[in-house]
Amino acid sequence: MIQGLFEYPWGWFFSKVLSPIGSFNIGMWTYIAGFISKWGVLWAGLTLLAPSWLPGETAVGTAAQVLPALMVSVFVFIFGSLFVVTQQATMIHSNRASLLLIYYRPVQQIVVRGLVMALATLLLSAIVPDGDVGAGVAAFTLVLIMATAFTLTGAAVLLPLLMSQTTAPGNFALFALDPVDEYLATEGTGLVVFRVGALGEMLKRGVRSGDSLQIREALRGLHGLHEIYIEISEDYPSARKHEYESGVAEGWLGNELVPFLVSAGQDAIGLDIANEDCNAIAAELA
């Protein structure tokens, strides 16, 4: 565990500090702290060093009226887009796709940005005075305008990327494997187990639909997960152990992986899919 702390500090933080409480919730607070700190430094710099750059009273008043409605709309847009992405990935590949998205750090980050900005713009509308606007409020307004543009741009870039990562079979398999080595090295097997199920469901859906590409990419993802498990277990023996409600299981990957491969193989025989796909499933099971 100590070695994992130094090689994978962020993964260790998630698995050992955040997971017992809920890594998604605590991860949100982590992002909030970083996001506010970054823009807080800019606010202080504008207030103290560049007062001539600050907007006037009319601009501040207009921003206080426009920004809250705009950020609420952006927040709704982010959640609506994530819902569409999740729905598509769930329909195409696996019901567990939503878990992959929840634990994907850029998704956590964009949600936090929208939430913080929506609250900050509401705060702006409450603190703008009727008379003269101080440098602090004017700087706060300018920072909010810049942060809103940053948040909207980030959402516009991330959401199409998520769609491509979670719909194409090859991209989805890579998406599921992205942080596996980090979690295994830091005893975060709880964040890996459901990825086996996600790829296993993807395999079974490919078999039932006769989609050779989906079958091939799902098997490639499961094989890659197996290789990462073996590689990490050599340096971090704790990666072989996972705690279920019934107790601790050693060599847990086999318990998770084999049932999906056996079930997919049985479906492949019953549905009479291509021999190459049947052989590939059998080879992975062997």
Side-chain angles (χ1 to χ4, degrees):
M1 185 191 75
I2 298 300
Q3 184 180 1
L5 168 60
F6 289 105
E7 293 189 14
Y8 302 94
W10 185 247
W12 181 90
F13 184 65
F14 260 75
S15 64
K16 304 304 293 181
V17 179
L18 304 185
S19 290
I21 306 174
S23 61
F24 179 63
N25 294 331
I26 305 299
M28 286 185 67
W29 289 112
T30 304
Y31 286 125
I32 288 172
F35 190 72
I36 292 178
S37 298
K38 177 175 64 178
W39 292 104
V41 170
L42 179 60
W43 170 80
L46 289 172
T47 303
L48 300 174
L49 303 177
S52 61
W53 294 4
L54 302 179
E57 178 182 339
T58 302
V60 171
T62 302
Q65 295 177 356
V66 173
L67 284 179
L70 174 61
M71 275 314 306
V72 169
S73 300
V74 171
F75 194 58
V76 172
F77 163 72
I78 291 172
F79 265 95
S81 300
L82 290 176
F83 175 79
V84 172
V85 171
T86 302
Q87 187 179 42
Q88 288 295 316
T90 300
M91 291 175 57
I92 297 173
H93 299 302
S94 169
N95 293 328
R96 294 175 172 87
S98 57
L99 294 175
L100 295 177
L101 289 167
I102 288 174
Y103 286 104
Y104 189 47
R105 292 170 194 163
V107 169
Q108 295 178 352
Q109 189 172 10
I110 200 65
V111 170
V112 165
R113 288 176 185 171
L115 177 61
V116 172
M117 290 304 304
L119 295 176
T121 52
L122 291 175
L123 176 62
L124 174 66
S125 64
I127 65 174
V128 171
D130 294 333
D132 294 335
V133 176
V137 174
F140 184 53
T141 303
L142 181 58
V143 166
L144 283 183
I145 293 173
M146 297 170 65
T148 299
F150 176 76
T151 300
L152 187 57
T153 302
V157 171
L158 175 64
L159 296 171
L161 177 63
L162 281 178
M163 184 65 76
S164 67
Q165 286 180 313
T166 56
T167 53
N171 291 345
F172 182 80
L174 294 175
F175 183 66
L177 295 180
D178 184 23
V180 165
D181 57 342
E182 185 175 332
Y183 290 142
L184 288 176
T186 54
E187 301 182 19
T189 55
L191 299 174
V192 179
V193 170
F194 70 86
R195 299 171 191 273
V196 181
L199 292 170
E201 286 185 356
M202 176 183 174
L203 173 62
K204 294 183 67 175
R205 291 191 182 187
V207 169
R208 291 168 182 169
S209 63
D211 189 338
S212 294
L213 176 60
Q214 191 171 25
I215 294 172
R216 184 169 61 251
E217 294 301 336
L219 288 172
R220 183 177 300 175
L222 290 170
H223 184 75
L225 180 57
H226 191 194
E227 287 187 334
I228 294 171
Y229 173 83
I230 294 173
E231 180 181 354
I232 295 297
S233 295
E234 292 178 355
D235 297 325
Y236 307 94
S238 60
R240 299 189 183 99
K241 299 179 180 179
H242 176 67
E243 185 174 356
Y244 296 93
E245 293 183 0
S246 58
V248 177
E250 187 165 356
W252 59 269
L253 182 60
N255 298 334
E256 296 287 337
L257 186 58
V258 170
F260 282 106
L261 291 173
V262 171
S263 178
Q266 291 174 340
D267 290 344
I269 294 173
L271 295 172
D272 194 26
I273 66 170
N275 290 333
E276 292 81 1
D277 295 331
C278 289
N279 293 337
I281 295 173
E284 186 62 29
L285 184 58

